[in-house]
Amino acid sequence: MDPFMQAAIDEAQKGLDEGGIPIGSVIVHDGRIIGRGHNRRVQEGSAIKHGEMDAFENAGRQPARVYREATLYTTLSPCAMCSGAILLYGIRKVIVGEHETFLGEEELLKSRGVEVNVLHDETCVGLMKQFIADKPELWNEDIGE
Amino acid sequence: MDPFMQAAIDEAQKGLDEGGIPIGSVIVHDGRIIGRGHNRRVQEGSAIKHGEMDAFENAGRQPARVYREATLYTTLSPCAMCSGAILLYGIRKVIVGEHETFLGEEELLKSRGVEVNVLHDETCVGLMKQFIADKPELWNEDIGE
């Protein structure tokens, strides 16, 4: 397992352990994690802190150059909001754990020149499948449905 | 002046008074403001709290139905991240103060069926022109440049 995807999965698991939605993300620059996060809808009553957004927030204010050289790892295909943040900051490469339980805006990202690699990781699929089965209403709320 | 755009401008002015970036937003449902906010990059060291995102955050967790019936007002054309949040939550109508100093993802929003009305408001233009002239590096950071 890629250690950065493992770190994203660890974040997702942490979110689940807190009673939240199990999606995690890390942003990597120059071989080092500069921001990590997980979905905080339940924990903070947040409508904007998806895993990827939390990773951006925890990375803090970075120069444009750093974002452009960074890779974002996320356990789940990024939604429109998180994809928009990826485009805003000019992240060039996104590694996605899985897009079987939810397909986000991968086509939009690719159309703007972002490299998107989907790992089809079974741990990521398992986390989301179990969560969606357990709390379908919470999941629908998180994706605006 | 539309009272809701005035409320967004008031938020932008509040941000400026705090030493921040003068962009404000309100989300209106059923004739009532349910969330208001302004850019908090400087105030909170936040990479994700643009004005619109702060308004979403302050609106809190809302049912999908509320977002679909809501109108988002923003003093400045929404960037990729904020446009992505608008798409995620299915906001159908966006009122933009101005898009002269920055043109966001209005075409993407329209291509997905969102109604986008640009007011070409001189107060909004003036706030941004002065700010960009005063702090160009901060502004470039906010739009990932």
Side-chain angles (χ1 to χ4, degrees):
Chain A
M1 166 72 73
D2 179 307
F4 297 128
M5 183 52 71
Q6 185 59 56
I9 293 172
D10 291 346
E11 284 290 329
Q13 185 64 51
K14 192 184 294 183
L16 187 66
D17 294 344
E18 292 167 355
I21 302 173
I23 305 168
S25 176
V26 299
I27 299 171
V28 174
H29 180 255
D30 217 3
R32 196 173 61 83
I33 294 175
I34 60 169
R36 62 174 71 220
H38 54 269
N39 188 298
R40 296 185 187 271
R41 177 172 298 274
V42 172
Q43 298 91 321
E44 297 185 9
S46 176
I48 66 172
K49 285 200 178 160
H50 279 188
E52 302 91 321
M53 302 299 289
D54 194 40
F56 274 112
E57 188 71 330
N58 291 330
R61 292 170 56 179
Q62 298 286 340
R65 179 186 57 79
V66 170
Y67 294 118
R68 297 236 166 89
E69 296 169 357
T71 298
L72 182 141
Y73 292 75
T74 176
T75 56
L76 182 65
S77 186
C79 81
M81 173 173 67
C82 299
S83 296
I86 288 163
L87 292 176
L88 169 65
Y89 287 116
I91 302 269
R92 308 305 297 156
K93 191 169 178 181
V94 176
I95 314 289
V96 173
E98 63 106 350
H99 67 185
E100 181 183 326
T101 65
F102 175 78
L103 178 59
E105 294 280 352
E106 293 175 17
E107 288 307 316
L108 175 65
L109 290 172
K110 287 192 261 187
S111 77
R112 301 289 181 95
V114 179
E115 183 184 338
V116 179
N117 295 344
V118 181
L119 303 184
H120 306 284
D121 180 85
E122 283 308 316
T123 304
C124 295
V125 173
L127 275 167
M128 283 308 293
K129 274 198 175 160
Q130 185 67 49
F131 169 72
I132 293 169
D134 288 347
K135 298 183 177 171
E137 285 156 20
L138 182 53
W139 173 235
N140 284 338
E141 183 192 313
D142 201 55
I143 53 173
E145 283 180 3
Chain B
M1 167 71 74
D2 180 305
F4 297 128
M5 183 51 72
Q6 185 59 57
I9 293 171
D10 291 347
E11 284 290 328
Q13 184 63 51
K14 192 185 293 184
L16 188 66
D17 295 345
E18 293 166 355
I21 302 174
I23 305 168
S25 177
V26 298
I27 299 171
V28 174
H29 180 255
D30 217 3
R32 195 172 62 84
I33 294 174
I34 59 168
R36 61 174 71 219
H38 54 270
N39 188 298
R40 294 185 188 272
R41 176 172 298 273
V42 172
Q43 298 92 320
E44 297 184 8
S46 175
I48 66 171
K49 285 199 177 161
H50 278 189
E52 302 91 322
M53 302 298 288
D54 194 39
F56 273 111
E57 188 71 329
N58 291 330
R61 292 171 57 180
Q62 299 286 339
R65 179 187 57 80
V66 170
Y67 294 118
R68 297 236 165 89
E69 296 169 357
T71 299
L72 183 142
Y73 292 75
T74 176
T75 57
L76 182 66
S77 185
C79 81
M81 173 174 68
C82 299
S83 296
I86 288 162
L87 292 176
L88 169 64
Y89 288 117
I91 301 271
R92 308 306 298 156
K93 191 170 178 180
V94 177
I95 315 288
V96 174
E98 63 106 350
H99 65 187
E100 181 183 325
T101 65
F102 175 79
L103 179 59
E105 295 278 353
E106 293 175 16
E107 288 308 315
L108 175 64
L109 290 173
K110 287 191 262 187
S111 77
R112 303 287 182 96
V114 179
E115 182 184 338
V116 179
N117 294 344
V118 182
L119 302 184
H120 305 284
D121 180 85
E122 282 309 315
T123 303
C124 295
V125 173
L127 274 167
M128 282 308 293
K129 273 198 174 159
Q130 186 66 50
F131 169 73
I132 293 170
D134 288 347
K135 298 182 177 172
E137 285 157 19
L138 182 53
W139 174 234
N140 284 340
E141 183 192 313
D142 201 55
I143 52 173
E145 283 181 4

